[in-house]
Amino acid sequence: MTNVFKLDKPILIGLGFIVLILAVGTAYTMATQGTAVFLSPTYLLQQLHVGAFLGITAAGMMMVILLGHIDLSVPWTLAAGAMLATAIGGPLGALTCIGVGLAVGLVNGIGVAYLRVPSMIFTLGVNTVLLGLMVMLTGGHAPQSAATDLMLFLGRDRTFGVPHSVVVWAFVSLALVFVLTRTPLGRYMYAIGNQEAAAYLSGVRTRLVIVAAFMMCSLCAVIAGLALGGYSARAFQAMGDAYLLPSIAAVVLGGTNILGGQGRYAGTVIGALIIVLLQSVLSVMQMEEAFRQVIYGTVIIGMLLIYSRGRKVAA
């Protein structure tokens, strides 16, 4: 619990899948193009660039899943933050974006922790409210404002060839690892995920911990929205929809128990990389979309079955 980077079985399995995906992709490009595209530093750095947005979103999602909850408001939290940042512009737009994330997380946390509404239901409702508010704000059309300079800096620009979005992902990762391994909040999150009632009886202020976790999740979502808006050079409606299920899948593929109380952050990073690389390889192979979804789902189900089998044997 205290060492999120320990190489446990799910992490090792995930690393094995990454190697397998790269090997299959390399064999395909060698056979069709005569080059090992998937092993080139340029390609790998590009995948990190694209994967950073999913990685940041999944990092926040892990915080609530560790508690045994889930946040379905992530798509429109991400989109709302980016859309408001472009509409307002400048530093004030970025501050508004961060404020939206914290406010949404606070509302979600209060609804789940104090009102005791199931997180799946409450956050889905909040997501719908955000959707409606953004449609009202834009009149049902995409915002006309382009990404701000700060968004372009975070999402598109590079320093010494390294995308800034990857650097942002690294800073977010370091912050969450510190929380999970070096603070009482991290210990409380694992304790609540294992048994909330026991944690409460031992003196943990469980409601405040739940609120904090949802605020971290929403904050990560709007940070990803700022960077993604810069990468796309604009903010648009439903820009966060493509990150909900993959962010949950990345957390679960990384070995975090969907019921809470178990998981390491390194696994979430590996899960995000698996999803990004798998999508890239299937795209390069030019498979039909239906076939891609079949393979994508089969890989996820297969890994989960391997994980569950390993846990039963260990037990």
Side-chain angles (χ1 to χ4, degrees), residues 5-293:
F5 286 111
K6 182 180 177 181
L7 292 178
D8 57 8
K9 187 170 184 177
I11 292 177
L12 290 174
I13 293 173
L15 289 173
F17 265 87
I18 289 177
V19 173
L20 177 61
I21 292 169
L22 290 175
V24 171
T26 299
Y28 177 82
T29 55
M30 286 294 293
T32 58
Q33 304 174 18
T35 58
V37 174
F38 289 94
L39 297 182
S40 69
T42 301
Y43 168 81
L44 295 175
L45 191 59
Q46 177 61 26
Q47 295 312 301
L48 280 177
H49 192 175
V50 175
F53 314 119
L54 173 59
I56 296 170
T57 307
M61 186 66 75
M62 181 184 175
M63 298 299 104
V64 295
I65 290 180
L66 275 178
L67 299 176
H69 294 292
I70 201 148
D71 189 348
L72 300 184
S73 68
V74 161
W76 275 93
T77 302
L78 186 156
M83 290 169 69
L84 287 173
T86 56
I88 296 173
L92 182 58
L95 291 175
T96 302
C97 177
I98 298 299
V100 167
L102 294 175
V104 172
L106 179 62
V107 171
N108 284 334
I110 291 174
V112 174
Y114 289 91
L115 302 181
R116 310 306 294 180
V117 180
S119 58
M120 181 177 294
I121 303 301
F122 192 88
T123 58
L124 182 61
V126 170
N127 189 66
T128 304
V129 170
L130 290 172
L131 185 160
L133 290 175
M134 290 301 102
V135 171
M136 289 174 56
L137 178 67
T138 61
H141 303 285
Q144 298 300 312
S145 301
T148 64
D149 291 339
L150 176 60
M151 295 171 71
L152 293 172
F153 177 81
L154 294 176
R156 177 177 288 187
D157 293 349
R158 300 183 177 214
T159 298
F160 301 117
V162 179
H164 292 169
S165 61
V166 176
V167 177
V168 173
W169 186 14
F171 276 114
V172 170
S173 299
L174 289 174
L176 293 186
V177 167
F178 177 80
V179 169
L180 290 175
T181 61
R182 294 290 184 265
T183 68
L185 177 60
R187 296 192 295 272
Y188 296 159
M189 291 171 68
Y190 282 102
I192 292 172
N194 282 307
Q195 183 58 257
E196 183 177 350
Y200 176 78
L201 292 175
S202 66
V204 176
R205 302 179 71 177
T206 56
R207 291 177 174 177
L208 292 180
V209 174
I210 293 173
V211 171
F214 274 98
M215 291 181 70
M216 285 189 287
C217 182
S218 295
L219 182 59
C220 286
V222 294
I223 291 174
L226 279 174
L228 181 60
Y231 182 76
S232 305
R234 64 189 183 93
F236 52 94
Q237 295 187 28
M239 63 187 291
D241 288 353
Y243 290 88
L244 175 59
L245 294 181
S247 66
I248 297 172
V251 175
V252 177
L253 287 178
T256 299
N257 192 334
I258 194 66
L259 300 178
Q262 179 182 345
R264 292 187 171 90
Y265 181 73
T268 298
V269 174
I270 291 171
L273 293 177
I274 289 173
I275 291 174
V276 172
L277 290 173
L278 182 60
Q279 290 175 339
S280 175
V281 169
L282 294 178
S283 176
V284 169
M285 290 182 174
Q286 297 181 343
M287 292 183 179
E288 295 182 2
E289 180 62 25
F291 195 42
R292 288 190 211 175
Q293 294 301 320

